[in-house]
Amino acid sequence: MSSHSKLFLTGLFVAGLLAAPALAFDFGRPATLEEIKLWDIDVGPDGKGLPDGSGTAVQGKQVFSDNCAVCHGENGQGGIKDRLAGGQGTLASSMPVKTVGSFWPYATTLYDYIHRAMPYPTPGSLSIDETYAVTAYILSLNGIIPADGKVDRESLPRIRMPNRDGFIPQPEFDPAKLFRKK
Amino acid sequence: MTFKAPVELLPRPANLSRRGFVGSLSAGILGAVATEAAGAETLADVPDRGPGADLSAHSDRSRFARIDRIPEATPGKRNVDPGDAINSKTPHQKLVGNITPTDLHYERSHSGVPDIDPAQHRLLIHGMVRKPLVFSVDDLKRMPSITRVVFIECTGNGWENWKKADPDLTVQNTHGLVSTNEWTGVPLKFLIDLVSKDKGSNWMLAEGGDGAGVDRSIPLTDEIMNEAFVAYGQNGEPLRPAHGFPMRLVMPGFEGNLNIKWLRRLKFGNAPWMTRWETARYTQLLADGKARQFQLRMETNSVITQPSGMMQIQPGDNRISGLAWSGHGRIAKVEISTDGARTWKQAQLSQPVLSKAQVRFQMDWVWDGKPTKIVSRSTDDQGNVQPDRQSFIAAMGTNALFHYNAQQTWSIDEAGRVRNVLA
């Protein structure tokens, strides 16, 4: 065997040793639990992902006034951006008004969206308790919880939104049937 | 002997002077590309040749070909201050061929365009996987790649014509939220293998690195597993920031909002997350007040772009041209009616006709100068036929706001003026 082919075989052997156990890590690097926690912000309809903490509608009124009213109006109406309250009973009319109270099927989505995207100029700037508080305030504006109501990770998934049954999945992608075993 | 330009040979309505005709050309509303204002009556009028401009680092469009998108706020609020715009529409009436120029690909963002340094950007893949991993842009570029021509369409495309047809709309206004580019990136399947996804995980959350953190739940059907990819290239260059630099999800055939831009996280789970985008936003409100959800696929569609809204045509030889596309697959045929949908003729398709990409269709037409309506109708290789407006509205009502794919009708009056109308 020539020295050249020996070298070649050795090279193959070494490459094999390196590649076999570490194949997945040839691209990227393992994510640590700590850093996943920093980015793992999504909240499911069952409340999975909601953090510890709580807020009341009364506290939320002030947070809303300071951070949200400039776009959405003082009471979640009449602002330059999406109307957040009212509209219940209008969805079948020629002028439907889609708000959190009239259209959104899950209260958990409200927490998730405020936390990830609002306030528009500084998303993520509200604390967990402030986010719960604004969520509570918007729900109270829609009469879904009382004006002195409070929400947290336990209560939010249990809230039944008025339009919870207002959605019909497109048959092709119906989550209830899509991956059922044939 | 007097010399006349060919256009002079055609009868022209008395109210349209040559000056007016040329003027409308320079405004760019007639023809695919705007031409210079002063025409050349004879070859002697054509300017002499001579040395041109210096070479440059990149090639700009001719100053005689002004082609711009239109920033827009809510329906009907056009040419707004860019700070108030929520999208910017492709000028289909000025384009030719199948591909949208990169800088004219429509733009829709939910919290502006982030200025991302690729050296600091990361993609996290986690959830129901054995090995959660973090990838850099360079990691992606070292992986096996694919390149594919794909249309991306905002689910709101066509939103101008749900309830009424404003006669002053151009095809840019009515259909400017769909574009086709060639995208390059890594198959989703390859990334899924790297992290060893749990077999029981059938849904994926894709999340962007924009201010809104736009996120969508994506069902991992066989079709999506085989076709989705994470793109870093667009028409031979890195993605433009407006289109997701440094990386985005490309979901061939599926609504624009699923093609998450500035992608920074993929999480695997076993149920949809019910994000704001798939509950409160991109769902179709039906006439009875119920809303259709997870209507993810873009439908069979087409539109005549030449001639189209706000153009003016002359009697005689005309070329009808437009674009057709389907989220179900390849366009099989496009038919054109020049008599208000009474009779139809099959158009030619410009090759290549690719699955889930826009294709140009064309047909010669001699206009007799009488008022009429022109309309196109596409059929894809799965047998889906683009619906006429009447049956479409009968099924969907006028409140759905998303996934409008009814046939588009343009009326032509006795002066050759082309206007937007409902069928």
Side-chain angles (χ1 to χ4, degrees):
Chain A
M1 190 180 273
S2 73
S3 63
H4 178 80
S5 53
K6 241 186 219 166
L7 194 64
F8 178 69
L9 283 177
T10 312
L12 272 184
F13 179 68
V14 171
L17 269 185
L18 285 176
L23 189 59
F25 303 129
D26 284 346
F27 301 103
R29 61 162 177 83
T32 67
L33 286 177
E34 293 71 36
E35 66 179 347
I36 291 174
K37 223 171 157 183
L38 291 173
W39 279 18
D40 192 14
I41 58 172
D42 52 88
V43 174
D46 56 359
K48 200 175 168 189
L50 282 172
D52 287 329
S54 68
T56 68
V58 174
Q59 294 160 342
K61 187 177 170 64
Q62 188 59 49
V63 181
F64 188 91
S65 180
D66 294 345
N67 296 279
C68 321
V70 64
C71 290
H72 295 285
E74 256 328 306
N75 297 304
Q77 299 187 38
I80 52 168
K81 291 297 178 184
D82 288 16
R83 184 172 158 177
L84 302 176
Q88 291 183 34
T90 66
L91 295 184
S93 74
S94 62
M95 289 286 282
V97 179
K98 291 192 268 187
T99 72
V100 171
S102 71
F103 199 63
W104 290 45
Y106 297 99
T108 47
T109 308
L110 187 55
Y111 180 96
D112 177 275
Y113 186 67
I114 295 168
H115 178 56
R116 72 173 53 245
M118 293 292 131
Y120 185 88
T122 52
S125 62
L126 299 181
S127 70
I128 289 170
D129 286 348
E130 284 173 329
T131 307
Y132 275 119
V134 173
T135 303
Y137 177 61
I138 294 170
L139 292 171
S140 78
L141 285 176
N142 283 287
I144 294 166
I145 68 168
D148 60 354
K150 174 185 159 183
V151 297
D152 58 23
R153 62 185 297 177
E154 302 300 325
S155 58
L156 207 53
R158 287 203 301 264
I159 291 171
R160 189 162 181 86
M161 298 292 277
N163 196 40
R164 172 67 185 83
D165 295 329
F167 294 83
I168 310 155
Q170 179 79 0
E172 186 180 7
F173 300 110
D174 183 348
K177 296 175 188 158
L178 191 55
F179 298 108
R180 193 178 285 171
K181 286 207 174 77
K182 288 159 199 154
Chain B
M1 178 180 159
T2 55
F3 212 100
K4 285 186 175 182
V7 69
E8 295 282 352
L9 299 173
L10 298 171
R12 179 181 302 121
N15 62 351
L16 187 70
S17 68
R18 171 160 188 88
R19 186 53 52 198
F21 178 63
V22 172
S24 69
L25 271 173
S26 72
I29 58 171
L30 193 69
V33 177
T35 51
E36 57 191 278
E41 289 285 346
T42 82
L43 296 186
D45 294 339
V46 175
D48 287 339
R49 292 183 296 109
D54 293 338
L55 301 190
S56 57
H58 58 91
S59 315
D60 289 330
R61 211 160 267 134
S62 162
R63 68 191 170 96
F64 302 112
R66 278 173 297 164
I67 315 180
D68 292 310
R69 293 187 316 218
I70 297 179
E72 177 192 76
T74 49
K77 281 193 180 173
R78 287 177 286 277
N79 298 309
V80 296
D81 184 285
D84 296 328
I86 65 167
N87 64 51
S88 189
K89 290 178 160 179
T90 294
H92 290 301
Q93 71 277 24
K94 296 182 182 176
L95 303 181
V96 298
N98 298 339
I99 301 279
T100 315
T102 311
D103 62 329
L104 298 172
H105 192 292
Y106 88 87
E107 195 178 323
R108 168 81 172 106
S109 69
H110 298 89
S111 187
V113 178
D115 179 27
I116 295 175
D117 177 353
Q120 294 186 312
H121 187 79
R122 293 293 180 271
L123 172 63
L124 167 66
I125 307 186
H126 72 119
M128 290 176 65
V129 302
R130 195 140 23 104
K131 289 171 289 193
L133 293 174
V134 175
F135 300 102
S136 67
V137 180
D138 284 342
D139 286 329
L140 252 65
K141 288 181 178 171
R142 289 192 295 120
M143 297 176 193
S145 74
I146 60 160
T147 292
R148 183 169 169 185
V149 175
V150 168
F151 79 78
I152 296 181
E153 181 178 18
C154 175
T155 168
N157 198 28
W159 68 358
E160 303 270 4
N161 279 357
W162 273 106
K163 289 184 190 288
K164 61 181 174 66
D166 178 343
D168 295 338
L169 297 187
T170 67
V171 69
Q172 180 169 16
N173 303 140
T174 60
H175 289 79
L177 291 175
V178 56
S179 309
T180 294
N181 275 186
E182 182 199 83
W183 308 92
T184 298
V186 178
L188 176 65
K189 232 179 183 172
F190 185 83
L191 294 166
I192 281 177
D193 285 345
L194 286 178
V195 296
S196 295
K197 178 180 82 64
D198 289 4
K199 290 247 180 328
S201 168
N202 289 318
W203 286 81
M204 174 179 84
L205 185 79
E207 185 179 274
D210 54 330
V214 172
D215 58 335
R216 286 299 298 264
S217 303
I218 294 167
L220 297 174
T221 62
D222 289 347
E223 177 190 10
I224 288 172
M225 288 287 281
N226 286 331
E227 297 195 32
F229 57 105
V230 176
Y232 49 78
Q234 179 179 15
N235 289 341
E237 63 172 331
L239 297 179
R240 298 282 174 103
H243 306 300
F245 181 81
M247 61 177 82
R248 77 175 302 167
L249 194 60
V250 174
M251 298 277 302
F254 289 88
E255 65 183 20
N257 188 246
L258 284 186
N259 295 250
I260 297 290
K261 292 184 284 189
W262 315 293
L263 184 71
R264 76 169 199 171
R265 192 161 71 102
L266 295 173
K267 181 181 183 176
F268 293 94
N270 53 16
W273 281 258
M274 300 297 174
T275 72
R276 183 243 184 175
W277 306 102
E278 61 219 21
T279 57
R281 192 71 188 189
Y282 296 126
T283 49
Q284 298 170 286
L285 188 57
L286 305 177
D288 65 0
K290 300 279 187 189
R292 191 179 283 182
Q293 192 181 17
F294 298 111
Q295 158 57 317
L296 307 179
R297 188 187 295 283
M298 298 314 293
E299 294 296 334
T300 310
N301 211 334
S302 76
V303 64
I304 293 170
T305 60
Q306 176 73 35
S308 57
M310 302 306 284
M311 289 186 185
Q312 185 143 14
I313 62 167
Q314 306 296 316
D317 290 325
N318 279 278
R319 184 75 163 163
I320 294 177
S321 165
L323 291 164
W325 63 100
S326 170
H328 296 270
R330 209 168 49 81
I331 289 296
K333 67 171 175 179
V334 179
E335 296 157 291
I336 295 173
S337 173
T338 56
D339 57 9
R342 277 194 291 278
T343 62
W344 298 86
K345 280 187 189 141
Q346 199 162 327
Q348 304 160 319
L349 301 180
S350 296
Q351 302 294 322
V353 185
L354 301 171
S355 178
K356 302 176 185 178
Q358 286 179 294
V359 61
R360 184 158 298 276
F361 60 85
Q362 305 185 63
M363 190 181 86
D364 292 326
W365 174 46
V366 180
W367 181 46
D368 59 9
K370 292 181 186 145
T372 190
K373 289 177 181 174
I374 59 173
V375 54
S376 66
R377 172 174 77 187
S378 62
T379 302
D380 66 29
D381 61 359
Q382 308 295 306
N384 300 292
V385 182
Q386 184 184 4
D388 63 73
R389 180 179 159 86
Q390 210 183 347
S391 50
F392 177 78
I393 293 298
M396 298 306 304
T398 57
N399 288 335
L401 198 58
F402 304 109
H403 292 266
Y404 186 90
N405 75 318
Q407 293 163 22
Q408 168 69 35
T409 303
W410 305 111
S411 78
I412 300 172
D413 68 10
E414 66 286 345
R417 286 185 292 246
V418 186
R419 294 293 182 269
N420 180 36
V421 289
L422 301 181

